[in-house]
Amino acid sequence: MQIPFNKPSIVGDELHNIACAVERGQLSGDGRYTQSCNQRIVGMTGAKAALLTHSCTAALEMAALLCDLGPGDEVIMPSFTFVSTANAVALRGAIPVFVDIDPATLNVNPDAVARAVTARTKAIFAVHYAGFPADMDRLAQIARDHGLFLVEDAAQALGSTWRGRQAGSLGDMAAFSFHETKNIISGEGGALTLMRADLIERAEIIREKGTNRSRFLRGQVDKYTWVDLGSSFLPGELIAAYLDAQLDRADDIRARRIGLFDRYAAAFADLEDAGRVTLPHAPDGVVGNGHMFYLLLRDIDDRDGFIAQMRAAGILTPFHYVPLHSAPAGLRYARTSGTMTVTDSVSARLVRLPMFWALSVEEIDRVVATARVWLLGRTDA
Ligand SMILES: Cc1ncc(COP(=O)(O)O)c(C=O)c1O
């Protein structure tokens, strides 16, 4: 039996909610389920507002509009991230400025961020890799010192905390993903959370194709019209109906994934002590959400051999981000500040192990046993 890397989950009332949404007769956005999801996300993150979107990509594009990015503006971000972090900036004609990550956290290196600031810098887009928040105290200080927006790319980080504060409430705004590979899912899906009350109305307008339709629906204006730039960033009710059931069980999902994470961590601890492999550890002051369990192997040959051996045993263990600074579009639309030694090294050595709601203890133990054969240098499995 194959063990996939990810399997989308049904954890509760998803199908019932979808049937209710159909019966209720509103399938377009901002109905009852969308409102419920927005409220749940506010409750979970402590943000001032949450707006459901089609994807984290859409939420990042909204963030770029809210930062008023334009040609010549610069936004500092890690190169070790998904393309959407950079695309959102480049789509506005602004320039992503890539900096290296910290080898201990795989999150953006605050010293490199500080060195990358120029008179054109307008924002920092911080990514919370593997669900572990970046050093938001240092980044907030840099943002304050230079008058920059601080945006969290919290695609993987719903339910994680930094010094007791929830991801999604650690900057000016944050983008979440509910793609089927995340902890809480709706197939495709996302949300933008806002910590600044002064940005909320404009965010609603941007999400509603540049119109003040949200105010109209609340009875605050008697007709709605085109007032700003915007696009169609809001999902329909069927997506929200599925998501609402998942959010309802967010605590159980997080606890289960942390349990799986801990089982992996215990199973490989001796190999980390022996210097064979590096495991993820929550940085100081961080509590994670069990989003991802990765191994850092010796080099790209070790990684490719590992992936091949696991695949031969029916277990899928993909690598992750291909650095953006050396990608064709990265060379065309972005620039790099400082060296990228850690990014290049980590990207070549990282593999992700299966992690999903329905992953059984027996399956995890099979993953561990197969992985250990490779890590211990035996090839006769
Ligand atoms: C850091 C990061 N940002 C953004 C995204 C894009 O998320 P979505 O697929 O919801 O657009 C991802 C996807 O995995 C991601 O890892």
Side-chain angles (χ1 to χ4, degrees), residues 55-57 60 81-82 84-85 127 153 155-156 177 179 182 188-189 321:
S55 59
C56 183
T57 302
L60 288 165
T81 182
F82 193 62
S84 300
T85 327
V127 176
D153 183 338
Q156 308 168 6
S177 175
H179 183 265
K182 302 303 184 293
E188 304 284 346
Y321 304 136

Side-chain angles (χ1 to χ4, degrees), residues 266-344:
F268 293 113
D270 61 325
L271 296 179
E272 181 165 59
D273 291 344
R276 176 65 184 92
V277 72
T278 304
L279 309 179
H281 296 280
D284 271 357
V286 163
V287 181
N289 60 357
H291 174 60
M292 181 196 298
F293 195 88
Y294 62 76
L295 302 175
L296 281 172
L297 301 175
R298 283 184 179 140
D299 52 32
I300 197 163
D301 293 335
D302 193 23
R303 180 195 78 179
D304 289 349
F306 180 92
I307 292 174
Q309 148 135 345
M310 298 298 280
R311 193 184 300 114
I315 302 168
L316 298 184
T317 57
F319 55 83
H320 207 189
Y321 304 136
V322 178
L324 299 184
H325 67 277
S326 48
L331 295 171
R332 194 171 331 137
Y333 296 114
R335 73 174 178 81
T336 295
S337 168
T339 59
M340 285 293 165
T341 334
V342 184
T343 298
D344 287 332

